[in-house]
Amino acid sequence: MYLSAKSSLIWFVMNGILQNLYTLQTLDLGGSKADPTQAAALRAGIPDWMLANYDRARARGKKGIALVRNHVCTNCRMQVPVAVTASLTAGMIQVCGNCGLYLCLPQPDEQAAPVPVAREVKRRKKKVPA
Ligand SMILES: [Zn+2]
């Protein structure tokens, strides 16, 4: 699948927002060590409605966003449908159907770490009997 210039731009923007939110959460979870200037800069790049949801979750002591690794939500460990991962890749915002957190794909450099990509592709191609 090839992305058009327009959808690559959307991907770039949305992926940036989700990465900002994830980085913000990493800072917030770091507690007192967090740099308030950096947190403010990240917040400036995240839409208000998304921040409101995130802050509500954080106020209840929960996380606001989780990474999806190998089609698994890293917060609740439930498998995420392939369609959800695909739309994340296409730059859409998705929430976990189980725990309700915003989902975000790992940065390309950390994506390869746990499971080799080749194995993942082979598993996804397997036909599931209806
Ligand atoms: Zn989840």
Side-chain angles (χ1 to χ4, degrees), residues 10-43:
I10 293 169
W11 178 87
F12 182 77
V13 172
M14 291 320 300
N15 195 50
I17 290 170
L18 291 169
Q19 291 298 339
N20 280 352
L21 189 61
Y22 186 73
T23 310
L24 177 66
Q25 178 175 268
T26 310
L27 283 182
D28 285 350
L29 293 174
S32 55
K33 286 177 286 179
D35 175 359
T37 322
Q38 197 185 350
L42 288 167
R43 284 180 170 270

Side-chain angles (χ1 to χ4, degrees), residues 66-68 72-80 95-103:
L67 287 179
V68 176
V72 173
C73 168
T74 56
N75 182 59
C76 64
R77 307 283 166 195
M78 292 297 286
Q79 190 149 22
V80 171
V95 293
C96 174
N98 185 56
C99 67
L101 260 60
Y102 285 120
L103 294 173

Side-chain angles (χ1 to χ4, degrees), residues 45-88:
I46 302 168
D48 288 345
W49 54 270
M50 201 182 232
L51 273 178
N53 285 339
Y54 169 78
D55 286 335
R56 210 176 304 134
R58 293 291 299 134
R60 290 185 307 219
K62 293 180 177 178
K63 288 183 178 180
I65 184 166
L67 287 179
V68 176
R69 278 210 175 91
N70 307 311
H71 304 285
V72 173
C73 168
T74 56
N75 182 59
C76 64
R77 307 283 166 195
M78 292 297 286
Q79 190 149 22
V80 171
V82 174
V84 169
T85 315
S87 46
L88 278 174

